[in-house]
Each structure stands twice: as C-alpha cells, then as structure tokens.
Amino acid sequence: MTLTFTEICIDAHDIHALSSFWSAVLGWPTEPTEDGDVLLRAPEGAGPDWLFVPVPDDKIVKNRIHFDFTPDDQQAEVDRVFGLGARPVDIGQGEQTWVVLADPEGNEFCILSGV
C-alpha cells in the first residue's frame, strides 16, 4: 500500500478571508473547488495543497498540530506576516529562537530562526 500526502484540510469560519491570508503569506494561488471550498495550490515540490473547508464554529483551544516556517530573515518575515494580519501568541513557549504567531482565525504557526 502506498499513500501520497496531497492536501492539508483546514477548517475555517471564513474560508475566503483565511485562504487569502495564507495565499499572501505563502505566495500560492487560490482556486475555488466544485464543493465550494477554497484550495491553495502548492507549487511543484513545495508540499501538499491546502484545502480550506467552512465550519460554523470558531477555534477555541491551542492547535494540536501547527506549521513551522524557516525564512531567510526571521524578523523580516515576522514583520511581513504581521502586516498581513498575523498576531503574536503566547502558548507558554517562554523565550525561544522561534516566534509563535496566529493567523486571523487564531491558528498557531511558528517562524523559526533564519537558515
């Protein structure tokens, strides 16, 4: 048996706003699906596509899984995603080399120290 990792499904209260945020962060195009969801299409070799699925409820607790991103320049990327609508989050991480942020719907992600 073989599995291919093709999509990450992300529940969202507002799939259009959240997919637009992540499209701006990653520079990936969005496209509607036949089911009314929104797909963020990953460039070849960049990993799985992201599928935004509408849900009626808001996020309440800390994520059990999150994304880590490694930039060339950590502070420049933190500043850029702040400008796009991210916000800092304290999940009890203390003083670390990474920065914990949340997207507009509160999903945590980290920007690691630069390469």
Side-chain angles (χ1 to χ4, degrees), residues 10 20 33 35 37 48-49 57-58 61 90 100-102 104 108:
I10 301 168
S20 291
T33 69
D35 296 333
D37 303 327
D49 296 333
D57 49 322
D58 294 327
V61 298
D90 183 353
V100 182
L101 303 172
E108 297 93 1

Side-chain angles (χ1 to χ4, degrees), residues 22-94:
W22 282 108
S23 176
V25 168
L26 298 172
W28 298 359
T30 61
E31 58 188 69
T33 69
E34 291 179 11
D35 296 333
D37 303 327
V38 176
L39 186 70
L40 204 62
R41 180 75 66 188
E44 185 68 34
D49 296 333
W50 292 19
L51 182 67
F52 293 84
V53 181
V55 295
D57 49 322
D58 294 327
K59 179 185 172 292
I60 298 172
V61 298
K62 178 183 171 293
N63 295 6
R64 303 268 319 218
I65 188 170
H66 68 268
F67 303 116
D68 285 347
F69 299 99
T70 303
D72 292 331
D73 181 332
Q74 183 185 42
Q75 191 59 55
E77 278 305 301
V78 168
D79 292 344
R80 185 178 75 84
V81 297
F82 275 162
L84 295 171
R87 65 181 193 283
V89 177
D90 183 353
I91 56 169
Q93 70 269 19

